[in-house]
Amino acid sequence: MPKSQPADQNNHKRFDGGGAEGRRQLMRYAGLSGQLAASVGVAVWLGIKADKWLKLSFPIFSLVVPLVVIVFFLVQIIKANSGKKDEK
C-alpha cells in the first residue's frame, strides 16, 4: 500500500492565511464582532429595563433598541468598506 504524501509534496499550495494583512483583518473583524455582541447584549438589557420601568405590556424597547444597534453597526461596516479612498 503506498504512503500518503503531505500536501506540500503534491504540488499543492498551502493556505497561509494571507500573511500579516490577513491576520490584521481577522483581528479587526473579530474585535468588531465582539463589540457587536456586547452592544446588542447591553441594548437588550436596557430595552428590558425600559419596558419594565414604563410597565409596557408589549416589549417594544426590547425589540427596537437592539435593532437600532445592529443597523448602526451595519452602516459603520458599510462606510468603512465602501472602497472610497481619500486621494491626497
Side-chain angles (χ1 to χ4, degrees), residues 8-46:
D8 289 341
Q9 294 177 1
N10 287 334
N11 295 327
H12 294 290
K13 291 184 179 180
R14 290 191 105 168
F15 177 69
D16 66 353
E21 178 65 22
R23 285 189 295 275
R24 188 180 72 77
Q25 290 291 334
L26 176 67
M27 293 308 294
R28 176 181 172 198
Y29 288 113
L32 190 60
S33 66
Q35 188 177 7
L36 175 63
S39 297
V40 169
V42 169
V44 169
W45 180 76
L46 285 174

Side-chain angles (χ1 to χ4, degrees), residues 56-68:
L56 299 174
S57 60
F58 185 75
I60 189 72
F61 287 107
S62 299
L63 298 172
V64 171
V65 176
L67 287 175
V68 170

Side-chain angles (χ1 to χ4, degrees), residues 2-3 22-24 29 36 42 56 67 69 72 76-77 79-80 82 86:
K3 287 172 90 178
R23 285 189 295 275
R24 188 180 72 77
Y29 288 113
L36 175 63
V42 169
L56 299 174
L67 287 175
V69 168
F72 173 77
Q76 293 301 316
I77 290 170
K79 280 184 180 180
S82 65
D86 292 333

